[in-house]
Short mmCIF file of all heavy atoms in Angstrom, two decimals:
data_model
loop_
_atom_site.label_atom_id
_atom_site.label_comp_id
_atom_site.label_asym_id
_atom_site.label_seq_id
_atom_site.Cartn_x
_atom_site.Cartn_y
_atom_site.Cartn_z
N GLY A 204 16.24 -15.10 -36.85
CA GLY A 204 15.50 -15.77 -37.91
C GLY A 204 14.49 -16.77 -37.40
O GLY A 204 13.60 -17.18 -38.15
N PHE A 205 14.59 -17.17 -36.12
CA PHE A 205 13.65 -18.14 -35.56
C PHE A 205 12.41 -17.47 -34.97
O PHE A 205 11.52 -18.16 -34.50
CB PHE A 205 14.33 -18.97 -34.46
CG PHE A 205 15.44 -19.85 -34.97
CD1 PHE A 205 16.76 -19.53 -34.70
CD2 PHE A 205 15.17 -20.98 -35.71
CE1 PHE A 205 17.79 -20.33 -35.15
CE2 PHE A 205 16.19 -21.79 -36.17
CZ PHE A 205 17.51 -21.47 -35.89
N MET A 206 12.34 -16.17 -34.98
CA MET A 206 11.21 -15.45 -34.41
C MET A 206 10.15 -15.23 -35.48
O MET A 206 10.42 -14.65 -36.53
CB MET A 206 11.66 -14.11 -33.83
CG MET A 206 10.67 -13.47 -32.87
SD MET A 206 9.37 -12.54 -33.68
CE MET A 206 10.32 -11.27 -34.51
N THR A 207 8.92 -15.73 -35.22
CA THR A 207 7.80 -15.56 -36.14
C THR A 207 6.84 -14.55 -35.54
O THR A 207 6.28 -14.78 -34.47
CB THR A 207 7.06 -16.90 -36.36
OG1 THR A 207 7.99 -17.86 -36.89
CG2 THR A 207 5.91 -16.72 -37.33
N PRO A 208 6.61 -13.40 -36.18
CA PRO A 208 5.74 -12.37 -35.61
C PRO A 208 4.30 -12.85 -35.46
O PRO A 208 3.82 -13.68 -36.24
CB PRO A 208 5.83 -11.22 -36.61
CG PRO A 208 7.09 -11.48 -37.37
CD PRO A 208 7.24 -12.96 -37.44
N LEU A 209 3.62 -12.32 -34.46
CA LEU A 209 2.20 -12.60 -34.28
C LEU A 209 1.37 -11.78 -35.26
O LEU A 209 1.88 -10.89 -35.93
CB LEU A 209 1.78 -12.28 -32.84
CG LEU A 209 2.38 -13.14 -31.73
CD1 LEU A 209 1.85 -12.69 -30.38
CD2 LEU A 209 2.06 -14.61 -31.94
N ALA A 210 0.07 -12.09 -35.30
CA ALA A 210 -0.83 -11.36 -36.17
C ALA A 210 -1.47 -10.20 -35.42
O ALA A 210 -1.39 -10.11 -34.19
CB ALA A 210 -1.91 -12.30 -36.71
N GLY A 211 -2.10 -9.30 -36.16
CA GLY A 211 -2.83 -8.21 -35.55
C GLY A 211 -1.91 -7.19 -34.89
O GLY A 211 -0.75 -7.01 -35.25
N GLU A 212 -2.45 -6.50 -33.89
CA GLU A 212 -1.70 -5.46 -33.21
C GLU A 212 -0.53 -6.03 -32.40
O GLU A 212 0.43 -5.32 -32.12
CB GLU A 212 -2.63 -4.66 -32.29
CG GLU A 212 -3.68 -3.86 -33.05
CD GLU A 212 -4.54 -3.04 -32.12
OE1 GLU A 212 -4.39 -3.21 -30.89
OE2 GLU A 212 -5.36 -2.25 -32.60
N PHE A 213 -0.60 -7.30 -32.04
CA PHE A 213 0.49 -7.92 -31.30
C PHE A 213 1.77 -7.99 -32.13
O PHE A 213 2.86 -8.15 -31.58
CB PHE A 213 0.11 -9.33 -30.85
CG PHE A 213 -0.84 -9.35 -29.69
CD1 PHE A 213 -1.94 -10.18 -29.70
CD2 PHE A 213 -0.64 -8.53 -28.59
CE1 PHE A 213 -2.83 -10.20 -28.64
CE2 PHE A 213 -1.52 -8.55 -27.52
CZ PHE A 213 -2.61 -9.38 -27.53
N ARG A 214 1.64 -7.91 -33.44
CA ARG A 214 2.80 -8.02 -34.32
C ARG A 214 3.82 -6.93 -34.05
O ARG A 214 5.01 -7.10 -34.31
CB ARG A 214 2.32 -7.96 -35.78
CG ARG A 214 3.40 -8.22 -36.82
CD ARG A 214 2.87 -8.03 -38.22
NE ARG A 214 3.86 -8.40 -39.22
CZ ARG A 214 3.97 -9.61 -39.75
NH1 ARG A 214 3.13 -10.57 -39.37
NH2 ARG A 214 4.89 -9.88 -40.64
N GLN A 215 3.38 -5.80 -33.53
CA GLN A 215 4.28 -4.69 -33.28
C GLN A 215 5.24 -4.94 -32.12
O GLN A 215 6.28 -4.29 -32.02
CB GLN A 215 3.46 -3.43 -33.00
CG GLN A 215 2.50 -3.06 -34.10
CD GLN A 215 1.63 -1.88 -33.71
OE1 GLN A 215 1.88 -1.21 -32.71
NE2 GLN A 215 0.60 -1.61 -34.50
N MET A 216 4.90 -5.89 -31.23
CA MET A 216 5.70 -6.08 -30.03
C MET A 216 6.11 -7.52 -29.77
O MET A 216 7.10 -7.76 -29.08
CB MET A 216 4.92 -5.59 -28.79
CG MET A 216 4.64 -4.11 -28.75
SD MET A 216 3.76 -3.64 -27.24
CE MET A 216 4.93 -4.16 -25.99
N PHE A 217 5.40 -8.52 -30.36
CA PHE A 217 5.62 -9.90 -29.96
C PHE A 217 5.71 -10.83 -31.15
O PHE A 217 5.24 -10.52 -32.25
CB PHE A 217 4.50 -10.38 -29.03
CG PHE A 217 4.33 -9.56 -27.79
CD1 PHE A 217 3.32 -8.61 -27.73
CD2 PHE A 217 5.17 -9.71 -26.71
CE1 PHE A 217 3.15 -7.84 -26.60
CE2 PHE A 217 5.02 -8.95 -25.59
CZ PHE A 217 4.01 -8.01 -25.51
N GLY A 218 6.32 -11.97 -30.89
CA GLY A 218 6.40 -13.04 -31.86
C GLY A 218 6.51 -14.36 -31.12
O GLY A 218 6.51 -14.41 -29.88
N VAL A 219 6.64 -15.44 -31.87
CA VAL A 219 6.75 -16.78 -31.30
C VAL A 219 8.11 -17.35 -31.66
O VAL A 219 8.53 -17.29 -32.82
CB VAL A 219 5.63 -17.71 -31.83
CG1 VAL A 219 5.80 -19.12 -31.29
CG2 VAL A 219 4.27 -17.16 -31.43
N CYS A 220 8.80 -17.89 -30.67
CA CYS A 220 10.11 -18.50 -30.91
C CYS A 220 9.92 -19.89 -31.50
O CYS A 220 9.10 -20.68 -31.02
CB CYS A 220 10.89 -18.57 -29.60
SG CYS A 220 12.52 -19.36 -29.76
N THR A 221 10.67 -20.21 -32.55
CA THR A 221 10.57 -21.51 -33.22
C THR A 221 11.88 -22.29 -33.18
O THR A 221 12.05 -23.25 -33.93
CB THR A 221 10.14 -21.31 -34.68
OG1 THR A 221 11.12 -20.51 -35.36
CG2 THR A 221 8.79 -20.64 -34.77
N ASN A 222 12.79 -21.90 -32.31
CA ASN A 222 14.07 -22.60 -32.19
C ASN A 222 13.92 -23.68 -31.13
O ASN A 222 13.67 -23.40 -29.96
CB ASN A 222 15.18 -21.62 -31.79
CG ASN A 222 16.55 -22.25 -31.86
OD1 ASN A 222 16.69 -23.48 -31.92
ND2 ASN A 222 17.59 -21.42 -31.88
N GLU A 223 14.02 -24.94 -31.54
CA GLU A 223 13.81 -26.05 -30.60
C GLU A 223 14.85 -26.09 -29.49
O GLU A 223 14.62 -26.70 -28.45
CB GLU A 223 13.84 -27.37 -31.36
CG GLU A 223 15.15 -27.66 -32.09
CD GLU A 223 15.11 -28.99 -32.80
OE1 GLU A 223 14.52 -29.93 -32.22
OE2 GLU A 223 15.68 -29.09 -33.90
N PHE A 224 15.99 -25.46 -29.68
CA PHE A 224 17.04 -25.46 -28.65
C PHE A 224 16.96 -24.24 -27.74
O PHE A 224 17.73 -24.14 -26.78
CB PHE A 224 18.42 -25.53 -29.30
CG PHE A 224 18.61 -26.75 -30.15
CD1 PHE A 224 18.63 -26.65 -31.54
CD2 PHE A 224 18.77 -28.00 -29.58
CE1 PHE A 224 18.80 -27.77 -32.33
CE2 PHE A 224 18.95 -29.12 -30.36
CZ PHE A 224 18.96 -29.02 -31.73
N ALA A 225 16.07 -23.32 -28.04
CA ALA A 225 15.94 -22.12 -27.22
C ALA A 225 15.03 -22.41 -26.03
O ALA A 225 14.12 -23.24 -26.11
CB ALA A 225 15.37 -20.97 -28.04
N PRO A 226 15.23 -21.75 -24.91
CA PRO A 226 14.37 -21.99 -23.74
C PRO A 226 12.94 -21.53 -23.94
O PRO A 226 12.05 -21.97 -23.22
CB PRO A 226 15.06 -21.19 -22.63
CG PRO A 226 15.87 -20.15 -23.34
CD PRO A 226 16.30 -20.77 -24.62
N ASP A 227 12.68 -20.64 -24.91
CA ASP A 227 11.34 -20.12 -25.16
C ASP A 227 10.72 -20.72 -26.41
O ASP A 227 9.83 -20.10 -27.02
CB ASP A 227 11.39 -18.59 -25.30
CG ASP A 227 11.82 -17.91 -24.02
OD1 ASP A 227 11.27 -18.27 -22.96
OD2 ASP A 227 12.71 -17.04 -24.06
N ASP A 228 11.13 -21.90 -26.81
CA ASP A 228 10.60 -22.51 -28.02
C ASP A 228 9.08 -22.71 -27.88
O ASP A 228 8.59 -23.27 -26.91
CB ASP A 228 11.26 -23.87 -28.25
CG ASP A 228 10.72 -24.58 -29.47
OD1 ASP A 228 10.44 -23.90 -30.47
OD2 ASP A 228 10.57 -25.82 -29.43
N GLY A 229 8.33 -22.22 -28.89
CA GLY A 229 6.88 -22.34 -28.86
C GLY A 229 6.18 -21.34 -27.97
O GLY A 229 4.98 -21.46 -27.76
N ARG A 230 6.88 -20.35 -27.45
CA ARG A 230 6.29 -19.37 -26.55
C ARG A 230 6.35 -17.97 -27.17
O ARG A 230 7.16 -17.70 -28.04
CB ARG A 230 7.03 -19.36 -25.22
CG ARG A 230 7.00 -20.71 -24.48
CD ARG A 230 7.79 -20.62 -23.20
NE ARG A 230 7.79 -21.90 -22.48
CZ ARG A 230 8.46 -22.11 -21.35
NH1 ARG A 230 9.17 -21.12 -20.81
NH2 ARG A 230 8.40 -23.29 -20.77
N VAL A 231 5.48 -17.12 -26.64
CA VAL A 231 5.45 -15.73 -27.09
C VAL A 231 6.61 -14.97 -26.43
O VAL A 231 6.81 -15.06 -25.21
CB VAL A 231 4.11 -15.06 -26.72
CG1 VAL A 231 4.14 -13.59 -27.08
CG2 VAL A 231 2.98 -15.77 -27.44
N VAL A 232 7.37 -14.24 -27.23
CA VAL A 232 8.49 -13.45 -26.73
C VAL A 232 8.36 -12.03 -27.29
O VAL A 232 7.79 -11.82 -28.37
CB VAL A 232 9.85 -14.06 -27.14
CG1 VAL A 232 10.07 -15.40 -26.46
CG2 VAL A 232 9.95 -14.19 -28.65
N SER A 233 8.85 -11.09 -26.53
CA SER A 233 8.86 -9.71 -27.03
C SER A 233 9.99 -9.53 -28.03
O SER A 233 10.99 -10.28 -28.00
CB SER A 233 9.02 -8.73 -25.87
OG SER A 233 10.28 -8.89 -25.26
N LEU A 234 9.86 -8.54 -28.89
CA LEU A 234 10.88 -8.32 -29.91
C LEU A 234 12.21 -7.90 -29.31
O LEU A 234 13.25 -8.12 -29.93
CB LEU A 234 10.39 -7.25 -30.90
CG LEU A 234 9.11 -7.60 -31.68
CD1 LEU A 234 8.80 -6.49 -32.68
CD2 LEU A 234 9.25 -8.94 -32.39
N ASP A 235 12.19 -7.31 -28.13
CA ASP A 235 13.45 -6.92 -27.49
C ASP A 235 13.90 -7.93 -26.45
O ASP A 235 14.74 -7.63 -25.60
CB ASP A 235 13.32 -5.53 -26.85
CG ASP A 235 12.07 -5.38 -26.02
OD1 ASP A 235 11.29 -6.35 -25.94
OD2 ASP A 235 11.85 -4.29 -25.46
N HIS A 236 13.32 -9.14 -26.50
CA HIS A 236 13.82 -10.26 -25.69
C HIS A 236 15.04 -10.86 -26.40
O HIS A 236 15.38 -10.45 -27.51
CB HIS A 236 12.71 -11.29 -25.51
CG HIS A 236 13.09 -12.45 -24.63
ND1 HIS A 236 13.40 -12.31 -23.30
CD2 HIS A 236 13.22 -13.78 -24.91
CE1 HIS A 236 13.67 -13.50 -22.78
NE2 HIS A 236 13.59 -14.40 -23.75
N GLY A 237 15.67 -11.82 -25.81
CA GLY A 237 16.82 -12.46 -26.44
C GLY A 237 17.33 -13.63 -25.63
O GLY A 237 17.01 -13.77 -24.45
N CYS A 238 18.12 -14.45 -26.28
CA CYS A 238 18.77 -15.58 -25.60
C CYS A 238 20.02 -15.95 -26.39
O CYS A 238 20.32 -15.39 -27.44
CB CYS A 238 17.82 -16.78 -25.48
SG CYS A 238 17.44 -17.59 -27.04
N GLY A 239 20.73 -16.93 -25.89
CA GLY A 239 21.98 -17.34 -26.53
C GLY A 239 21.81 -18.16 -27.79
O GLY A 239 22.79 -18.42 -28.50
N ALA A 240 20.55 -18.55 -28.10
CA ALA A 240 20.30 -19.35 -29.31
C ALA A 240 19.91 -18.47 -30.49
O ALA A 240 19.22 -18.94 -31.41
CB ALA A 240 19.21 -20.38 -29.04
N HIS A 241 20.31 -17.24 -30.49
CA HIS A 241 20.01 -16.31 -31.59
C HIS A 241 20.59 -16.86 -32.89
O HIS A 241 21.67 -17.44 -32.93
CB HIS A 241 20.60 -14.93 -31.28
CG HIS A 241 20.09 -13.85 -32.16
ND1 HIS A 241 20.57 -13.63 -33.44
CD2 HIS A 241 19.13 -12.91 -31.95
CE1 HIS A 241 19.95 -12.60 -33.97
NE2 HIS A 241 19.06 -12.14 -33.10
N SER A 242 19.83 -16.70 -33.98
CA SER A 242 20.25 -17.27 -35.26
C SER A 242 21.54 -16.67 -35.78
O SER A 242 22.27 -17.32 -36.54
CB SER A 242 19.13 -17.07 -36.31
OG SER A 242 18.90 -15.68 -36.52
N GLU A 243 21.85 -15.44 -35.39
CA GLU A 243 23.05 -14.78 -35.89
C GLU A 243 24.17 -14.76 -34.86
O GLU A 243 25.14 -14.01 -35.02
CB GLU A 243 22.73 -13.34 -36.31
CG GLU A 243 21.56 -13.22 -37.27
CD GLU A 243 21.72 -14.12 -38.48
OE1 GLU A 243 22.84 -14.18 -39.02
OE2 GLU A 243 20.72 -14.75 -38.90
N ALA A 244 24.02 -15.59 -33.83
CA ALA A 244 25.09 -15.65 -32.83
C ALA A 244 26.33 -16.27 -33.47
O ALA A 244 26.27 -17.37 -34.04
CB ALA A 244 24.64 -16.46 -31.62
N ALA A 245 27.46 -15.58 -33.42
CA ALA A 245 28.70 -16.05 -34.06
C ALA A 245 29.50 -16.92 -33.09
O ALA A 245 29.47 -16.72 -31.88
CB ALA A 245 29.54 -14.86 -34.50
N ARG A 246 30.16 -17.91 -33.68
CA ARG A 246 31.04 -18.73 -32.86
C ARG A 246 32.23 -17.90 -32.40
O ARG A 246 32.74 -17.07 -33.13
CB ARG A 246 31.55 -19.93 -33.66
CG ARG A 246 30.46 -20.92 -34.06
CD ARG A 246 31.04 -22.07 -34.86
NE ARG A 246 30.03 -23.03 -35.21
CZ ARG A 246 29.68 -24.07 -34.44
NH1 ARG A 246 30.29 -24.25 -33.28
NH2 ARG A 246 28.75 -24.91 -34.83
N PRO A 247 32.70 -18.14 -31.21
CA PRO A 247 33.89 -17.41 -30.74
C PRO A 247 35.11 -17.78 -31.58
O PRO A 247 35.29 -18.94 -31.97
CB PRO A 247 34.03 -17.85 -29.28
CG PRO A 247 33.30 -19.15 -29.20
CD PRO A 247 32.17 -19.07 -30.17
N ALA A 248 35.92 -16.81 -31.89
CA ALA A 248 37.12 -17.05 -32.70
C ALA A 248 38.08 -17.96 -31.95
O ALA A 248 38.26 -17.82 -30.73
CB ALA A 248 37.81 -15.73 -33.01
N PRO A 249 38.67 -18.94 -32.66
CA PRO A 249 39.60 -19.85 -31.97
C PRO A 249 40.85 -19.10 -31.51
O PRO A 249 41.40 -18.25 -32.23
CB PRO A 249 39.93 -20.89 -33.05
CG PRO A 249 39.65 -20.21 -34.35
CD PRO A 249 38.53 -19.27 -34.09
N ARG A 250 41.32 -19.43 -30.36
CA ARG A 250 42.52 -18.79 -29.82
C ARG A 250 43.75 -19.48 -30.39
O ARG A 250 43.84 -20.72 -30.44
CB ARG A 250 42.52 -18.91 -28.30
CG ARG A 250 41.32 -18.23 -27.65
CD ARG A 250 41.37 -18.36 -26.15
NE ARG A 250 42.58 -17.75 -25.61
CZ ARG A 250 42.88 -17.75 -24.30
NH1 ARG A 250 42.06 -18.34 -23.45
NH2 ARG A 250 43.98 -17.17 -23.88
N PRO A 251 44.73 -18.74 -30.86
CA PRO A 251 45.93 -19.35 -31.44
C PRO A 251 46.75 -20.07 -30.36
O PRO A 251 46.78 -19.66 -29.19
CB PRO A 251 46.69 -18.16 -32.01
CG PRO A 251 46.22 -16.98 -31.20
CD PRO A 251 44.79 -17.26 -30.88
N ASP A 252 47.41 -21.16 -30.81
CA ASP A 252 48.27 -21.90 -29.89
C ASP A 252 49.49 -21.07 -29.54
O ASP A 252 50.01 -20.29 -30.36
CB ASP A 252 48.73 -23.22 -30.53
CG ASP A 252 47.54 -24.13 -30.81
OD1 ASP A 252 46.53 -24.01 -30.08
OD2 ASP A 252 47.63 -24.95 -31.74
N PRO A 253 50.00 -21.21 -28.35
CA PRO A 253 51.21 -20.44 -27.97
C PRO A 253 52.42 -20.86 -28.80
O PRO A 253 52.63 -22.04 -29.11
CB PRO A 253 51.39 -20.80 -26.48
CG PRO A 253 50.65 -22.08 -26.29
CD PRO A 253 49.50 -22.04 -27.23
N VAL A 254 53.22 -19.89 -29.23
CA VAL A 254 54.40 -20.13 -30.08
C VAL A 254 55.58 -20.51 -29.19
O VAL A 254 55.90 -19.80 -28.23
CB VAL A 254 54.72 -18.88 -30.91
CG1 VAL A 254 55.94 -19.12 -31.78
CG2 VAL A 254 53.51 -18.51 -31.77
#
Side-chain angles (χ1 to χ4, degrees):
F205 295 107
M206 197 277 298
T207 301
L209 294 181
E212 294 183 353
F213 284 135
R214 187 184 185 92
Q215 303 175 11
M216 295 181 60
F217 302 101
V219 177
C220 179
T221 60
N222 189 344
E223 61 179 322
F224 300 107
D227 296 312
D228 179 37
R230 300 178 181 177
V231 175
V232 294
S233 65
L234 299 183
D235 48 0
H236 183 64
C238 70
H241 194 280
S242 62
E243 308 307 318
R246 294 179 178 272
R250 300 180 60 181
D252 297 333
V254 180

